[in-house]
Amino acid sequence: MKIVVTGKIPQAGLEVLKTAGFQPDAWSQDSAMSRSDLLSKVKGADILVTLLTEKVDAELLDAAGPNLKAVCNVAVGYNNIDVAACKSRKVLVTNTPGVLTEATADIAIALILMTTRRLAEGERVIRSQTPWQWGMHYMLGAGVTKRVLGVVGMGAIGIATARRAKVCGMTVVYHSRSEIDPKVAAELAATRVTFDELLSQSDVVSIHCPSNESTRHLFSKPQFEKMKPTAFLVNTARGPIVDEQALVEALENNQIAGAGLDVFEFEPKVNPGLLHRDNVVMLPHLGSATVETRDAMAMLAANNAVAIANNREPLTPVG
Ligand code: DGY
């Protein structure tokens, strides 16, 4: 059984594969493999363990060849994988839901506080040794208490973010394909609203939906026009959900008050129109970046690979 791990993953994940009796062919460098190296490395693989930076498309699946049984992504998001192309070749796809919920919600709430309270801007003042003095009117931000958080996509990460926001005194509205568990809705006092209602009511909009064709540019000019001019947009999901150029224009035109972004439309490239804006906080896709979370992600992906290699049902299949 040839298991190819196409990016560097934590040792904990490799141990799962080795303990189960497999000798993974694993990329061990921090930088990603070139596409041509990737295409040759996957040749003859039975299972691929992939990172979100690798595009798993028809070309890659064909390069792997007819033995390929599964692609086990080390991420909850799987927009790097052409699931239809996998399906048509009877290749299973798995992801890593659950294990990164809390870490990602932490980053969402951090971005909510950083944007509304101008924290990165304040830190830049100190670091640049710009003269400053406490003042009644100095660097005032927007408080979050009694403000409305609009959660777009009320899955596990959306709920975990809402839970944190509630502790900060925020009221939660959400827009999701389906109603959430009534017990959770009651605990959070969260109200399901239409997308347009969410846009017009929210003081902070936090994105937690999956990235796919139907959510591409879910946030573009018309949506920014519906948001309050005092509202902030936070994205810890995937970059393509937001039309980044339209976001730059919305910020330029003061259609919204600011943005907190952990992900970018053309990651790792960032629209230059965002770079010099004090009302934008940007992080380099840190949502799941804790040691224990990355270990858990790698172990879950590896356990999916082991299950499939042993003809068992994977733990977390996609679709
Ligand atoms: C995921 O798992 O989709 C996260 O974005 C990784 O940080």
Coordinates of all heavy atoms in Angstrom, one line a residue, residues 52 74-77 96 100 237-238 285 287-288 294 297, ligand 1:
L52 N -3.8 21.8 2.4 CA -4.7 22.7 1.6 C -4.0 23.5 0.6 O -4.6 24.2 -0.3 CB -5.5 23.6 2.6 CG -4.7 24.6 3.5 CD1 -4.4 25.9 2.8 CD2 -5.5 24.9 4.8
V74 N -5.6 17.3 5.1 CA -5.3 17.7 6.5 C -5.9 19.1 6.7 O -5.1 20.0 6.9 CB -3.8 17.6 6.8 CG1 -3.5 17.8 8.3 CG2 -3.2 16.3 6.3
A75 N -7.1 19.2 6.6 CA -7.8 20.5 6.8 C -9.3 20.2 6.8 O -9.8 19.2 6.2 CB -7.6 21.4 5.6
V76 N -10.1 21.1 7.4 CA -11.5 20.9 7.4 C -12.1 21.4 6.0 O -13.0 20.8 5.4 CB -12.3 21.6 8.6 CG1 -12.1 23.1 8.6 CG2 -13.7 21.2 8.6
G77 N -11.5 22.5 5.5 CA -11.9 23.0 4.2 C -11.2 22.1 3.2 O -10.1 21.7 3.3
T96 N -10.9 17.1 8.0 CA -10.6 17.0 9.4 C -11.5 17.9 10.3 O -11.0 18.8 10.9 CB -9.1 17.3 9.8 OG1 -8.9 18.7 9.4 CG2 -8.2 16.4 9.0
L100 N -10.3 21.3 14.8 CA -9.8 22.7 14.8 C -10.8 23.8 15.1 O -10.6 25.0 14.9 CB -9.1 23.0 13.4 CG -9.9 22.6 12.2 CD1 -10.9 23.6 11.8 CD2 -8.9 22.3 11.1
A237 N -12.6 31.8 7.2 CA -13.1 30.6 6.5 C -12.1 30.4 5.3 O -11.1 29.7 5.4 CB -14.5 30.8 6.1
R238 N -12.5 31.0 4.1 CA -11.7 30.9 2.9 C -11.7 32.2 2.2 O -12.8 32.8 2.1 CB -12.1 29.8 2.0 CG -11.7 28.4 2.5 CD -10.2 28.2 2.3 NE -9.8 26.8 2.7 CZ -9.5 26.4 3.9 NH1 -9.5 27.2 4.9 NH2 -9.2 25.1 4.1
H285 N -3.2 33.2 7.7 CA -4.0 31.9 7.8 C -3.6 31.1 9.0 O -3.0 30.0 8.9 CB -3.8 31.1 6.5 CG -4.9 30.1 6.3 ND1 -5.4 29.7 5.1 CD2 -5.7 29.4 7.2 CE1 -6.4 28.8 5.2 NE2 -6.6 28.6 6.5
G287 N -5.7 30.2 11.5 CA -6.9 29.7 12.2 C -6.6 28.4 13.0 O -7.0 28.3 14.2
S288 N -5.9 27.5 12.4 CA -5.7 26.2 13.2 C -4.3 26.1 13.7 O -3.9 25.0 14.1 CB -6.0 25.0 12.2 OG -5.1 25.0 11.1
R294 N -2.7 21.2 15.2 CA -2.1 20.6 14.0 C -1.8 19.1 14.2 O -1.9 18.3 13.3 CB -0.8 21.4 13.6 CG -1.1 22.8 13.1 CD -1.6 22.8 11.7 NE -2.3 24.0 11.3 CZ -1.7 25.1 10.9 NH1 -0.4 25.2 10.8 NH2 -2.4 26.2 10.5
M297 N -5.1 17.4 13.7 CA -5.5 17.3 12.3 C -4.7 16.2 11.5 O -5.3 15.5 10.8 CB -5.2 18.7 11.6 CG -6.1 19.8 12.1 SD -5.5 21.4 11.7 CE -5.7 21.5 9.9
Ligands
DGY1 C1 -8.8 24.3 7.5 O1 -8.6 23.2 8.1 O2 -9.6 24.4 6.6 C2 -8.1 25.5 8.0 O3 -8.3 26.6 7.2 C3 -6.6 25.2 8.2 O4 -6.1 26.2 9.0

